[in-house]
Amino acid sequence: MRRTRNDRGGDTLKRSWRRPHTLLSGTLTGMAWLVALLACAPLFSVLYMLVVKGGARLGTEVFTELPPVAFEPGGGFGNAIVGTAVMVGIAAALSVPSGILTALYLREFGRGTKIANVARFCIKTLTGMPSILAGVFAYAAVVLLTGGYSAPAGGVALSLLMLPTVVLTAEEALGMVPKATREAAYGLGCTPTQVALKVVLPQALPGAMTGIMLAVARASGETAPLLFTALFSDYWINQLGRIELMEPTASLAVLIYNYSGMPFENQIELAWAASLVLVVLVMLFNAAGRALSAKQQRNR
Amino acid sequence: MQSRALQELEARAAVARLPGPRERWFDRGFRGGTKIVTWLVVLLSAYIVWEIGSNAWPAVRTFGPGFLTDSAWDPNNGRFGVLPQIWGTLYSSILALLMAGSVGLVIAVFLSEGFLPRRVESAFRYIVELLAAVPSVVYGLWGIHVVIPLLRPAANWLHEEFGWLPLFETSLSGPGLFPAALVLAIMVLPTVAAISQDAIRAVPDRMREAVYGMGATRWQAIGKVILPAAGSGIFGALVLGLGRALGETMALAMLVGNSNQISLSLFSPANTLAASLALNFPEAGILETQALMYAALILLAITLLVNLAGAWFVGRSARRLEGRL
């Protein structure tokens, strides 16, 4: 029998840094570490700037006051927070019910039908649509129709971006409900609607909520669809005691965009503070979505 | 005892019964309702294309295919063309994809081939996902006030020393293509990393065991077996990343400089289709709005094609790896 190197005592099983491919392997691992740390750097840089620059300006007045004019000191962006909330609310009111109903059809009632497949294809395509095109569409479909920039126009644009997330995550959550549960419900004589609404949907709810939370998080940070649908406004949404939805509406994202390039220190500080508020808002919704999806996985 | 069992039986009999007429009507109505909503979603997608297309139609008829090759954007004289925007879109996206692709791929391998303990791995993954959660307008603000000042000395040194190279032809005075592409890369990175991770995880463990059993080092296994097996999915991830980069608007609108010129230089201001929509739309007249709608239609067509191609590659990779099991 030929003696292999291993027979002489197994020393080749020990890692020796002098062997070229161990060395190469080690070098590559080191570089991978470096690249991974490098990739984290932007996030920490952004967060650092937000806390330092935005945090310095954060006070109660930014939540309660209106944006300042050019050389005025102070001011805030209370109206922008309200505007963002209103428009995201409109978008959610449009996209959540229709999204859940579509998901129910895709997974429960019309599974495998031609229209379900076409709809799923459309929704997946919609996922990749650039957000600015949602704005262009809402401009053509709502602004031109109603004759002016308004909060609903912004809401429609945002709802287009929320819809795919809501549908696809809800559909996935519905699909995770075990088949046996459905069969048991049918066995008791439930109609398909009762099975879907009373048995399947409650179980899939945390998963569907994850999608809704992620969609809300995304929509609150979107700027491009609002630029020429909601525009911006320096005033509160309720003027003289009336809520004026059909007027240009402020939003945090557009405020940051407008102020980012201004030559005034005050406005730039406000842009950072608004960014901090926006990022905290987005991260909160993200974390909520994540917690819900963890809950869904524990339930299974 | 017996009576209780009987009661249970009765209760069960009361639950298991045929649905009454009202329940059946409600069932039919509800199912019909979901079907109608699903139809509406399909019609909505068609309506989006139709609405943008019909608003662009006057411009399509006026400018024709020459719109794609004209480089003037002159609202005063009614001359419009998007060649510089298309050039800027492709140049910035490909540049961003080069950066995001290489870093994203390394991260995908790093986070899915057992380099790290589980906990650290998921912490890293969370950080990379958080990169995607930061709104693009915040990246734009960060780009203006952090990235550009940071890059300017290095860029100007490159311009002074290597100015004869077309890449460094101009100095970086403020906004420019490279800072925009860099920020774009950061925004595309999570997409590329996440989808390539899925592709790498889909490689069957048997293949890994077989290579390691033959005495390969980890990087040999990665380079010679795992990456080639996940290749199609990784390519799909890159294409989907490209799709995201092509359509990204705000960071570019804030960082690219809104200048319609075609230049190879990394530091000269440029423009992209999406950015010029964002920058010009609010103040556009009727004719310019039509031209912008035409530009939007082109952007829609490009992103649609790229995304469909990406989804096809990702799907093919998943199907193949499943078939191999």
Side-chain angles (χ1 to χ4, degrees):
Chain A
M1 201 172 112
R2 273 184 62 194
R3 284 168 68 91
T4 57
R5 273 168 30 108
N6 264 358
D7 294 336
R8 289 202 300 261
D11 56 307
T12 50
L13 285 180
K14 258 190 235 143
R15 197 142 75 153
S16 153
W17 285 105
R18 266 172 304 182
R19 286 175 58 200
H21 54 247
T22 319
L23 203 62
L24 182 69
S25 208
T27 317
L28 286 172
T29 305
M31 278 165 65
W33 265 103
L34 216 65
V35 170
L37 292 178
L38 191 77
C40 298
L43 183 71
F44 290 116
S45 170
V46 169
L47 293 180
Y48 174 80
M49 291 300 283
L50 287 177
V51 170
V52 170
K53 290 234 175 179
R57 184 57 198 272
L58 212 61
T60 47
E61 76 282 356
V62 298
F63 296 102
T64 54
E65 283 180 26
L66 288 174
V69 289
F71 289 100
E72 206 181 50
F77 40 76
N79 62 337
I81 296 176
V82 174
T84 293
V86 167
M87 285 190 283
V88 172
I90 293 172
L94 288 172
S95 63
V96 171
S98 56
I100 300 285
L101 289 179
T102 307
L104 278 175
Y105 187 78
L106 293 186
R107 182 56 78 166
E108 299 292 318
F109 306 137
R111 204 169 162 193
T113 56
K114 206 172 215 174
I115 175 70
N117 290 334
V118 173
R120 191 176 298 114
F121 174 78
C122 287
I123 290 159
K124 283 194 174 154
T125 318
L126 220 51
T127 314
M129 184 176 73
S131 59
I132 183 96
L133 291 181
V136 172
F137 167 75
Y139 176 83
V142 184
V143 175
L144 291 182
L145 200 71
T146 58
Y149 302 108
S150 64
V156 166
L158 292 180
S159 73
L160 285 184
L161 300 170
M162 289 178 65
L163 186 68
T165 318
V166 174
V167 176
L168 294 175
T169 40
E171 198 203 342
E172 200 180 319
L174 289 172
M176 285 207 279
V177 176
K179 213 175 157 198
T181 320
R182 262 166 245 199
E183 282 161 0
Y186 278 121
L188 291 172
C190 288
T191 61
T193 300
Q194 286 169 332
V195 175
L197 289 184
K198 295 192 173 159
V199 179
V200 181
L201 196 57
Q203 283 199 54
L205 208 57
M209 285 300 291
T210 301
I212 294 169
M213 290 295 156
L214 293 180
V216 167
R218 187 185 165 196
S220 356
E222 280 291 351
T223 318
L226 300 179
L227 280 178
F228 37 84
T229 53
L231 217 67
F232 192 72
S233 155
D234 283 328
Y235 306 103
W236 293 102
I237 203 164
N238 53 338
Q239 289 159 21
L240 308 170
R242 285 204 0 230
I243 292 180
E244 295 281 357
L245 280 184
M246 298 313 285
E247 292 289 318
T249 306
S251 57
L252 279 172
V254 175
L255 178 122
I256 298 166
Y257 171 64
N258 286 345
Y259 284 3
S260 66
M262 279 197 176
F264 312 113
E265 201 49 46
N266 186 28
Q267 265 78 351
I268 291 175
E269 280 174 10
L270 275 179
W272 280 110
S275 298
L276 179 62
V277 172
L278 186 60
V279 167
V280 167
L281 210 70
V282 169
M283 298 280 175
L284 277 181
F285 277 111
N286 249 313
R290 219 167 264 280
L292 283 166
S293 89
K295 190 179 163 200
Q296 171 98 357
Q297 292 201 329
R298 270 201 309 278
N299 280 353
R300 285 184 68 215
Chain B
M1 276 299 282
Q2 217 174 10
S3 73
R4 212 173 137 202
L6 213 69
Q7 270 175 7
E8 252 175 46
L9 209 68
E10 268 171 12
R12 231 179 274 162
V15 172
R17 59 174 169 78
L18 279 177
R22 213 200 276 161
E23 284 166 320
R24 274 202 300 254
W25 276 111
F26 180 68
D27 175 46
R28 223 179 271 171
F30 187 78
R31 281 197 282 167
T34 59
K35 191 173 185 179
I36 291 169
V37 174
T38 309
W39 266 103
L40 286 178
V41 169
V42 175
L43 291 178
L44 174 73
S45 315
Y47 184 50
I48 293 172
V49 177
W50 186 81
E51 189 70 53
I52 294 178
S54 68
N55 276 287
W57 188 240
V60 175
R61 280 182 52 185
T62 319
F63 305 113
F67 191 66
L68 296 170
T69 52
D70 196 340
S71 48
W73 191 273
D74 189 354
N76 298 324
N77 298 315
R79 261 194 75 194
F80 296 101
V82 286
L83 189 61
Q85 283 92 323
I86 292 179
W87 165 257
T89 305
L90 293 179
Y91 196 15
S92 61
S93 300
I94 288 170
L95 214 58
L97 196 65
L98 282 177
M99 295 186 265
S102 42
V103 174
L105 188 55
V106 172
I107 286 180
V109 167
F110 192 59
L111 295 185
S112 48
E113 285 304 311
F115 282 92
L116 300 169
R118 273 276 151 84
R119 283 252 167 108
V120 187
E121 204 174 275
S122 56
F124 258 111
R125 200 171 301 134
Y126 187 51
I127 290 174
V128 174
E129 277 170 32
L130 278 186
L131 275 178
V134 176
S136 64
V137 70
V138 176
Y139 276 123
L141 183 69
W142 177 71
I144 292 175
H145 295 282
V146 177
V147 175
I148 290 178
L150 203 70
L151 285 177
R152 202 182 285 148
N156 290 342
W157 180 81
L158 278 172
H159 168 61
E160 270 162 33
E161 299 291 318
F162 300 99
W164 45 272
L165 275 173
L167 282 181
F168 308 127
E169 227 162 37
T170 50
S171 61
L172 184 69
S173 50
L177 189 79
F178 185 71
L182 184 65
V183 173
L184 193 56
I186 294 167
M187 302 178 64
V188 175
L189 177 71
T191 311
V192 177
I195 303 173
S196 349
Q197 262 183 65
D198 289 344
I200 292 172
R201 274 155 195 269
V203 174
D205 273 337
R206 275 190 216 172
M207 288 174 75
R208 288 192 183 89
E209 285 155 15
V211 203
Y212 286 130
M214 289 168 78
T217 63
R218 185 141 60 180
W219 284 99
Q220 283 170 331
I222 291 165
K224 296 198 171 142
V225 174
I226 296 166
L227 288 186
S232 180
I234 291 169
F235 187 72
L238 292 176
V239 176
L240 287 177
L242 181 66
R244 244 209 101 188
L246 291 170
E248 175 48 46
T249 312
M250 291 322 293
L252 286 157
M254 293 162 86
L255 296 170
V256 86
N258 193 24
S259 151
N260 295 325
Q261 50 174 324
I262 300 176
S263 159
L264 260 182
S265 171
L266 292 175
F267 306 134
S268 78
N271 210 347
T272 73
L273 282 170
S276 82
L277 282 172
L279 293 162
N280 297 326
F281 218 108
E283 282 136 30
I286 293 173
L287 198 60
E288 196 180 0
T289 304
Q290 288 168 354
L292 285 167
M293 286 286 184
Y294 193 175
L297 195 63
I298 294 166
L299 181 62
L300 183 66
I302 295 176
T303 47
L304 195 65
L305 284 178
V306 170
N307 282 326
L308 289 181
W312 186 78
F313 277 110
V314 170
R316 191 177 76 154
S317 167
R319 278 195 302 278
R320 260 193 184 173
L321 288 172
E322 272 163 23
R324 229 178 247 175
L325 264 168

